[in-house]
Amino acid sequence: MSLTKVTARMTQANNVNVFDYMTQAQINDVKANTASVDVTVAVQSAVNSQKTVVFPAGTYLISSTITTTNASLVGENAYVESVLKYTATDGSACLEVTGYYNNGYYTQIRNLSFLGNYTNGSATTCTAVYLYNNTDEDIDAYIDNCFFTGFRKSIHIKGRGLTVQESVFTVTLDAFYLDRVIPVNAGTNPDQKTNSGARVYQFYNNRFHAMADGSIISNTEATNSSKQYLRGIHFADNYIDTTARIMNGPCRESSFIGNMHIYPSATQTLFFSNAGDWIDINICDNIFTSWRTVGGGATAVSNQRIMYQQDNISGLIFSNNNIYNVDEDVIEVGGNLTDGVITGNSFTNVILNASASAYRPVDIGGDAYRLQFNNNTIEVDGTPANADYIVNITGSATSVDCSNNAYNVSAFDELANKGSYINVQRKIDFKNAAPTSGTWVRGDLIYNVSPSAGGTIGWVCVTAGTPGTWKTFGAITI
């Protein structure tokens, strides 16, 4: 079996022990976990060796930034054993990596804890790890089995290429701060490495905890006019027991698959952007839920929304998600929604605040083109006064399919602005007469349960209302 670059490096005689650069007094302090003796200079010297730096168990007091063009830092066994305690409060980074690779090896950080001074809501703005490339190209960093706590930004990357897995993030405002550096243009490079900037972000099997109302992935750099071109996020199989957003800001060509978010907030939206479009986004097979208090009682906690996009979405697949307890619109788009597939989801105990305003499972402020909303189950707590449409489209609707959904509120119409819709499902029931009560829409059918020769097959609603206008259909010939 061939070895990966990371594995090969670890098996070579290319390691140094950070204790080799420290005095006995510093070593004793580290081993005692008192972190009262500054070891910044010693750690910097070890890193300067351009070898894999091994950190034995203990707590290392770091007072200023450790800088390198390529880092290979490894702690002992479990990440809680080797701790870098960063005491600065000046907005700097504990570790700053400024290049791509050196001697053929990529940056790797394994089995380390980064401990800072940030607490939720505090003014401290330090970063644990800052990764960037002076030539605005690749970085390709690998972070595995690490722990980050007490930083405004846990990992800030300005460039392309980051893999983080089996790590824990807690008490941080932004776990991953993605900072795209250059705009897309045609260029002459067919791979467009230089011209497409930041992509290739892989986040697997991590845990996010106690992040207040921060963001797991943030792409909100105010001075970065190219941030809407951020692409290539793969966020899979992560466990989120915090109120933090999953994605804050625009992105494209990205997937969020198989994650569990179980700690909601009534003021939080899990996928949020107030500027820039979302393009080609997959959000599939996730659990977005909370404590299942029956009926949304006083002890239940809800998310405000699951998704809010102020601008446009093109190429959305939102499927097979389990969603529980949402106060307002489940999916809200301020602009246009084009080429969307929303299918196979379970919306349970949603639009809980619809008695105060007309919220819907899907609310589109602009136009909808080629939208499929099919095979979803929708359960609304009680009968909210303003429960009206499952899909509301303020602008025009072209090729919109809202068929085969199951829902528990008879006041629902499938679609507000039908435009050139296709195959909109209607209610079908079985009675011995046309309805005299209840709210019905045009196209609803009642089949006659007591048919007779010379009679009719049933009744069809030709004008929506309560109970609407009904006409017989289908004469039964003798």
Side-chain angles (χ1 to χ4, degrees):
M1 179 181 69
S2 62
L3 297 175
T4 65
K5 289 185 175 68
V6 171
T7 306
R9 186 169 189 176
M10 291 301 300
T11 59
Q12 294 174 355
N14 198 29
N15 302 344
V16 298
N17 190 317
V18 70
F19 281 179
D20 294 341
Y21 295 82
M22 295 169 57
T23 67
Q24 190 59 51
Q26 289 175 321
I27 294 172
N28 293 340
D29 182 71
V30 168
K31 289 182 175 180
N33 290 302
T34 52
S36 60
V37 180
D38 195 328
V39 299
T40 305
V41 174
V43 173
Q44 182 67 67
S45 297
V47 169
N48 289 345
S49 71
Q50 287 295 309
K51 296 183 178 182
T52 295
V53 181
V54 177
F55 290 79
T59 303
Y60 299 77
L61 191 157
I62 309 296
S63 61
S64 60
T65 301
I66 303 298
T67 61
T68 179
T69 57
N70 171 252
S72 183
L73 311 179
V74 181
E76 272 198 25
N77 300 320
Y79 56 71
V80 294
E81 294 185 11
S82 302
V83 180
L84 303 185
K85 182 178 181 180
Y86 194 55
T87 59
T89 58
D90 58 358
S92 58
C94 178
L95 175 66
E96 186 174 293
V97 183
T98 61
Y100 178 22
Y101 63 87
N102 185 62
N103 297 325
Y105 299 117
Y106 298 86
T107 290
Q108 60 160 327
I109 304 171
R110 297 178 58 202
N111 304 341
L112 283 176
S113 288
F114 292 83
L115 172 62
N117 293 299
Y118 175 82
T119 58
N120 290 326
S122 73
T124 301
T125 58
C126 287
T127 298
V129 177
Y130 180 32
L131 306 161
Y132 69 97
N133 191 309
N134 289 320
T135 59
D136 291 342
E137 294 189 50
D138 290 357
I139 294 171
D140 286 349
Y142 299 85
I143 297 175
D144 180 26
N145 194 34
C146 289
F147 180 78
F148 297 85
T149 185
F151 290 94
R152 168 61 177 78
K153 301 171 185 174
S154 289
I155 301 173
H156 180 178
I157 180 169
K158 190 173 184 179
R160 178 182 186 269
L162 172 64
T163 298
V164 182
Q165 60 184 1
E166 302 289 348
S167 296
V168 177
F169 298 81
T170 181
V171 192
T172 184
L173 192 64
D174 295 316
F176 308 120
Y177 193 86
L178 310 184
D179 187 358
R180 197 182 184 287
V181 290
I182 45 180
V184 170
N185 58 62
T188 58
N189 184 349
D191 185 49
Q192 287 202 336
K193 277 186 177 181
T194 301
N195 296 318
S196 64
R199 64 181 190 271
V200 192
Y201 302 108
Q202 302 177 105
F203 307 126
Y204 305 136
N205 299 307
N206 302 289
R207 184 191 177 194
F208 304 90
H209 175 68
M211 291 175 57
D213 291 331
S215 302
I216 294 170
I217 304 174
S218 184
N219 175 35
T220 57
E221 177 59 54
T223 62
N224 188 349
S225 60
S226 301
K227 62 179 177 287
Q228 68 172 321
Y229 297 108
L230 182 90
R231 60 181 60 190
I233 299 169
H234 188 53
F235 186 85
D237 300 320
N238 298 284
Y239 185 84
I240 306 159
D241 57 337
T242 178
T243 59
R245 290 171 176 160
I246 294 175
M247 181 71 209
N248 186 18
C251 66
R252 56 183 60 197
E253 299 160 26
S254 297
S255 61
F256 303 84
I257 299 174
N259 304 287
M260 179 178 289
H261 189 296
I262 64 166
Y263 204 108
S265 167
T267 61
Q268 193 64 288
T269 298
L270 301 188
F271 297 86
F272 181 90
S273 181
N274 59 10
D277 295 340
W278 284 342
I279 299 175
D280 297 335
I281 305 299
N282 288 3
I283 302 175
C284 305
D285 300 305
N286 302 283
I287 295 176
F288 305 132
T289 187
S290 65
W291 305 281
R292 294 178 67 93
T293 300
V294 176
T299 60
V301 181
S302 309
N303 279 306
Q304 181 181 17
R305 293 164 297 209
I306 299 300
M307 175 184 291
Y308 171 78
Q309 166 61 309
Q310 178 174 289
D311 294 331
N312 304 309
I313 299 179
S314 177
L316 171 68
I317 299 178
F318 190 95
S319 68
N320 299 320
N321 299 291
N322 189 335
I323 298 164
Y324 185 82
N325 269 20
V326 178
D327 281 341
E328 300 180 7
D329 303 312
V330 179
I331 299 173
E332 181 179 352
V333 184
N336 302 327
L337 178 56
T338 305
D339 299 323
V341 177
I342 304 172
T343 184
N345 302 285
S346 174
F347 299 86
T348 305
N349 225 38
V350 297
I351 57 173
L352 294 172
N353 288 343
S355 58
S357 183
Y359 298 124
R360 292 100 177 188
V362 178
D363 201 330
I364 302 169
D367 302 329
Y369 304 96
R370 299 177 299 279
L371 169 64
Q372 292 182 322
F373 186 88
N374 314 121
N375 303 308
N376 303 286
T377 61
I378 304 161
E379 187 271 323
V380 178
D381 178 46
T383 308
N386 288 305
D388 48 10
Y389 303 111
I390 289 178
V391 177
N392 180 65
I393 303 170
T394 301
S396 62
T398 304
S399 296
V400 175
D401 179 356
C402 289
S403 63
N404 299 321
N405 298 291
Y407 45 91
N408 71 326
V409 177
S410 60
F412 268 143
D413 190 0
E414 288 275 353
L415 187 63
N417 182 348
K418 297 178 178 57
S420 57
Y421 65 86
I422 56 174
N423 194 26
V424 176
Q425 180 184 354
R426 286 293 172 252
K427 293 192 288 291
I428 298 175
D429 207 344
F430 299 86
K431 300 177 183 295
N432 58 13
T436 58
S437 62
T439 300
W440 301 85
V441 298
R442 185 178 180 183
D444 287 344
L445 295 175
I446 299 295
Y447 280 94
N448 190 351
V449 297
S450 302
S452 60
T456 59
I457 295 175
W459 300 267
V460 59
C461 182
V462 296
T463 303
T466 305
T469 301
W470 291 82
K471 299 293 183 180
T472 58
F473 73 91
I476 302 174
T477 59
I478 300 175

